[in-house]
Amino acid sequence: SQLSLASPPRQFMLPRFFGWPQLFDPAAADPAPTPFPRLAAWYSAMRAEPAVEAVRAEIWAYWEEMEAAGQFKPIVDEIAASADPTLKLTYGVPQAVQLNYQQPPPAGKGTGRYINQPDLGDVVDEHVAAEVTMRDARELHPPASLDALGFALQSWPTKCDDFEDDDAVVATYYGEMMDLVKAASGAERVFIFDHTVRESGNTNLNAAAGGSAAPVPRVHCDYTASGAPRRLQQLGAEGIYSRLRGRVLTCGGAEAGPV
């Protein structure tokens, strides 16, 4: 509720100890504007009432005394020591990050790389880093959807316990991903034609059968407007036909931690 979220303890602790923006100040901009501008406007109007502001000020002074006395140091220390990647402590603060973007190829060459065949030297795959502002898609409201944004986030547990075993992946993970795509897209039939296992520490971008590859180090799209239909045509030439119109979906997952 608004009253619960706007209580002085939450106002006091969330920005100080968890890195949240000033949720209830419509004018604050550091570290980011409030993600709840209507809530901030409502709360500012409430504080204009003398009785409300008097109670808030009294409670706020008490929390400042507790902070000065070290009441919250264990919380600060626990957060600093936590290495659990599943914990999400900060909300509403975008991050400045470096992302790699593809560079146009030189004259006479195309963009790309060869997979499972000799490199003929006629394509290049070069990129440069650029700073961008990245927001957490888990904070989107309403949540991201395939129809609105072209992607969706969904929890989908797996029983596959060995992603280095291609047979186990095909026997277990493929069926799970088919169910996921059906649930997310409404598709009646799903066909999975391949998969790639990527591991940090690898340098090879392409994986041989039964092996793994490095994470792709640049912003990219798995399929283009011409590449996706071409892939469906290739599958059709192999006798695998699709009634799918307009979508080839990619599922991304992790063995541990949030996706």
Side-chain angles (χ1 to χ4, degrees):
S1 69
Q2 288 182 331
L3 288 174
S4 176
L5 184 60
S7 65
R10 291 172 177 80
Q11 291 181 58
F12 190 91
M13 297 183 68
L14 291 177
R16 274 176 166 79
F17 310 131
F18 297 95
W20 287 42
Q22 297 291 337
L23 300 181
F24 312 102
D25 183 351
D30 185 27
T34 175
F36 308 118
R38 295 177 64 183
L39 176 61
W42 166 82
Y43 189 69
S44 295
M46 290 289 293
R47 287 187 61 183
E49 296 292 333
V52 173
E53 178 58 21
V55 172
R56 191 207 70 86
E58 182 178 347
I59 298 175
W60 196 267
Y62 171 71
W63 280 79
E64 289 180 326
E65 291 176 5
M66 289 199 296
E67 181 183 27
Q71 175 72 24
F72 308 116
K73 187 176 184 304
I75 297 177
V76 175
D77 293 342
E78 183 175 352
I79 293 173
S82 174
D84 186 347
T86 65
L87 294 179
K88 176 174 167 52
L89 302 175
T90 302
Y91 184 92
V93 182
Q95 302 293 319
V97 300
Q98 294 284 327
L99 296 181
N100 295 319
Y101 284 86
Q102 195 86 44
Q103 291 300 289
K109 293 192 176 185
T111 297
R113 64 180 189 274
Y114 284 92
I115 301 176
N116 296 330
Q117 55 184 299
D119 189 337
L120 300 181
D122 57 343
V123 295
V124 294
D125 185 12
E126 297 180 354
H127 52 260
V128 297
E131 183 174 291
V132 300
T133 298
M134 181 177 288
R135 301 181 183 275
D136 191 336
R138 290 170 292 183
E139 297 175 358
L140 290 174
H141 184 77
S145 68
L146 294 177
D147 290 333
L149 296 177
F151 76 94
L153 303 176
Q154 190 161 347
S155 177
W156 206 263
T158 179
K159 294 182 179 179
C160 183
D161 56 7
D162 186 1
F163 283 90
E164 295 182 356
D165 183 340
D166 279 353
D167 291 338
V169 172
V170 172
T172 303
Y173 198 64
Y174 273 31
E176 294 169 341
M177 292 300 98
M178 291 167 68
D179 290 340
L180 169 59
V181 172
K182 289 179 180 179
S185 69
E188 296 180 359
R189 297 188 306 129
V190 176
F191 175 73
I192 298 177
F193 48 79
D194 67 15
H195 72 275
T196 301
V197 176
R198 300 193 181 277
E199 294 183 276
S200 298
N202 286 351
T203 57
N204 56 305
L205 289 179
N206 302 328
S212 63
V216 179
R218 58 174 169 15
V219 175
H220 67 284
C221 179
D222 287 341
Y223 293 99
T224 64
S226 59
R230 187 184 310 120
R231 170 59 97 166
L232 292 178
Q233 290 172 356
Q234 292 170 344
L235 294 173
E238 299 174 12
I240 303 168
Y241 297 97
S242 174
R243 292 191 293 253
L244 182 68
R245 292 181 295 178
R247 283 181 181 165
V248 172
L249 301 182
T250 299
C251 296
E255 291 188 59
V259 177

